[in-house]
């Protein structure tokens, strides 16, 4: 006989036990879009303890809808290798581009991140950052997305981490919160402030998303469209190579800084 209370006990006891094990991690990533998932997988493959908090109930961010909801993505050769590693079926379109099914790509990116050891929590929003006296981001302040949507004031909880990654896409939500709550902080942009995303220029967007993937403030790393939004870089539309390479680069950067420190 199925006992309803036993099902509730199974869910609560196992998820709380697991949550307790994730209160102090190496990397917290906000956002399970293409850049967040890629960054998470590469960091986890190097032995880092990684959690992703995703505001929505689904993975994939803006990638699942391909280009204007035609479920295809385009990637350049270098980035195609990242998808090949996780068995995404690629079609060579011409010498420069490969195409892939966006739903397949994002499903496999999610599965590969989980297989690498990443823990993904859906329906949780990173609403603020922990900044202690040493002027370094040292954790993420989290809450249920439903609480935010309902506009209720419910105090949040905290997960401490060596790094927090802003993979929140066009909104660059964490960088914006950092700037709004701490007007004196200086970001590593040319103005020390968030510059804002520029109109579409795919070639520039793809190039500069990678070169600007960096620690924008001690302990806060940017990846994906959050990079373009903070550093004043053009958008690029439904070409996703830069997004994947930015995710990989963000992971490498945290590992490098960690080793040097
Ligand atoms: O938007 P999103 O896919 O960001 P990305 O990884 O990739 C951008 C592309 O999809 C596309 C593009 C390519 O030309 O422009 O847009 O940079 O994924 C961002 C994810 O972050 C979640 C949001 O729901 C989405 O799934 N998110 C946003 N704010 C928060 C958050 C937050 N504060 N806490 C947790 N998740």
């Amino acid at each position: 006989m199925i006992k309803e209370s036993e099902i509730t006990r199974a869910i609560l006891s196992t998820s709380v036990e697991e949550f307790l094990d994730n209160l102090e991690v190496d990397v917290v990533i906000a956002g399970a879009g293409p850049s967040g998932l890629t960054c998470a997988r590469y960091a986890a493959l190097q032995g880092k303890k990684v959690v992703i908090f995703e505001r929505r109930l689904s993975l994939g961010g803006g990638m699942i809808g391909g280009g204007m909801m035609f479920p295809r993505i385009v990637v350049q050769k270098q980035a195609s290798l990242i998808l090949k590693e996780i068995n995404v079926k690629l079609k060579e379109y011409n010498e420069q581009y490969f195409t892939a099914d966006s739903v397949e790509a994002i499903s496999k990116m999610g599965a590969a991140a989980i297989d690498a050891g990443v823990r993904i929590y859906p329906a949780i929003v990173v609403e603020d950052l922990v900044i202690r006296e040493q002027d370094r981001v040292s954790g993420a302040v989290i809450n249920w997305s439903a609480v935010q949507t309902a506009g209720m004031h419910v105090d949040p909880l905290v997960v401490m981490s060596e790094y927090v990654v802003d993979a929140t896409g066009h909104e660059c939500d964490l960088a914006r919160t950092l700037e709004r709550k701490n007007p004196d902080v200086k970001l590593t942009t040319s103005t020390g402030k968030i510059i804002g995303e520029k109109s579409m220029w795919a070639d520039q967007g793809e190039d500069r998303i990678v070169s600007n993937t960096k620690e924008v403030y001690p302990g806060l790393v940017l990846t994906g469209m959050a990079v373009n939004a903070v550093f004043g870089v053009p958008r690029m539309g439904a070409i996703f190579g830069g997004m994947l390479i930015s995710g990989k680069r963000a992971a490498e950067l945290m590992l490098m800084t960690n080793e040097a420190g």
Side-chain angles (χ1 to χ4, degrees), residues 31 34-35 53-56 61-62 126 167 169-170 173 225 236-237 243:
S35 65
F53 295 111
E54 166 53 54
R55 185 161 67 188
R56 296 186 203 161
V126 176
H170 298 262
D173 201 27
M225 278 315 289
M236 72 292 277
M243 217 57 63

Side-chain angles (χ1 to χ4, degrees), residues 103-118:
V103 179
E104 179 194 349
I106 213 68
S107 306
K108 289 185 173 169
M109 286 164 73
I114 292 166
D115 286 346
V118 177

Side-chain angles (χ1 to χ4, degrees), residues 54-56 122-125 143-152 154:
E54 166 53 54
R55 185 161 67 188
R56 296 186 203 161
I124 292 184
V125 67
N143 216 326
W144 304 118
S145 307
V147 164
Q148 193 182 65
T149 308
M152 294 189 292
V154 176

Side-chain angles (χ1 to χ4, degrees), residues 124-238:
I124 292 184
V125 67
V126 176
E127 65 163 49
D128 201 350
L129 298 161
V130 181
I131 301 181
R132 304 231 293 236
E133 63 279 4
Q134 68 272 41
D135 286 342
R136 183 183 167 89
V137 170
S138 44
V141 179
I142 58 168
N143 216 326
W144 304 118
S145 307
V147 164
Q148 193 182 65
T149 308
M152 294 189 292
H153 177 78
V154 176
D155 272 317
L157 294 175
V158 166
V159 171
M160 299 302 285
S161 61
E162 190 73 25
Y163 287 100
V164 175
V165 178
D166 186 341
T168 65
H170 298 262
E171 299 170 50
C172 62
D173 201 27
L174 304 197
R176 284 206 188 280
T177 302
L178 173 71
E179 192 170 88
R180 178 168 47 82
K181 295 210 163 182
N182 309 274
D184 294 338
V185 301
K186 276 210 162 16
L187 307 180
T188 56
T189 60
S190 56
T191 59
K193 298 277 167 211
I194 294 173
I195 300 172
E197 182 186 302
K198 299 281 184 274
S199 293
M200 192 175 304
W201 183 359
D203 195 50
Q204 280 284 308
E206 282 292 277
D207 196 33
R208 289 168 57 195
I209 191 175
V210 178
S211 59
N212 285 298
T213 294
K214 11 179 130 139
E215 198 169 0
V216 70
Y217 183 78
L220 182 66
V221 170
L222 299 178
T223 185
M225 278 315 289
V227 171
N228 297 37
V230 171
F231 280 91
V233 174
R235 69 189 303 190
M236 72 292 277

